Amino acid sequence: MNRMQKLFKKMNLDYDDYEIVKQLAEDFREWCMWNKAIEDIEVIQSQKFNTIVVIHELFTDYTKVTDGWEFISDVKYFLKEYASNSQEDLNYMLEFWEEKIKRYE
């Protein structure tokens, strides 16, 4: 298992937990800011529907409404795309996210 696979495995957390989803959104916004981008992400804990709702525009051409599980899939997709640019980008992404995910170990 390579380093990115290990990281993504560690990212398999409980995305029905509002605090975890909220922290992931904050970490992803920080990641984007480090890469000179700004992403709008809103995490809502719906009492009426007893679920977590994530609203984001990671795909620039539309707004997407997801749950926590689909949101982590979207985040992983973008991280894979970023990491595929170069070895330097891969290492940079791994260093940032490995540090963030340590809080859950």
Side-chain angles (χ1 to χ4, degrees):
M1 183 178 303
N2 69 34
R3 207 168 142 203
M4 186 162 62
Q5 290 170 326
K6 287 178 185 176
L7 171 66
F8 284 1
K9 185 175 177 156
K10 288 180 183 179
M11 291 175 110
N12 290 335
L13 304 168
D14 180 5
Y15 294 105
D16 290 323
D17 182 315
Y18 175 76
E19 293 303 321
I20 290 175
V21 176
K22 184 178 167 188
Q23 186 62 56
L24 173 68
E26 289 174 18
D27 291 343
F28 193 73
R29 275 192 291 267
E30 182 181 345
W31 165 255
C32 292
M33 287 182 0
W34 281 29
N35 287 285
K36 314 257 187 294
I38 297 174
E39 292 299 335
D40 291 326
I41 305 167
E42 185 170 354
V43 181
I44 303 166
Q45 187 167 18
S46 172
Q47 300 302 318
K48 183 174 182 175
F49 297 105
N50 193 27
T51 191
I52 297 168
V53 177
V54 182
I55 305 166
H56 67 77
E57 293 182 341
L58 303 181
F59 304 99
T60 57
D61 51 344
Y62 61 92
T63 300
K64 187 172 181 181
V65 179
T66 70
D67 63 8
W69 296 96
E70 191 172 351
F71 180 58
I72 186 60
S73 294
D74 292 343
V75 167
K76 287 179 179 179
Y77 170 81
F78 282 101
L79 295 179
K80 283 181 198 174
E81 289 295 308
Y82 180 89
S84 70
N85 290 323
S86 69
Q87 186 65 41
E88 182 180 347
D89 287 347
L90 172 63
N91 292 336
Y92 176 71
M93 183 275 292
L94 289 170
E95 287 175 22
F96 179 92
W97 284 98
E98 285 171 341
E99 187 62 34
K100 294 296 181 187
I101 209 68
K102 279 183 185 178
R103 72 171 65 93
Y104 301 105
E105 294 178 335

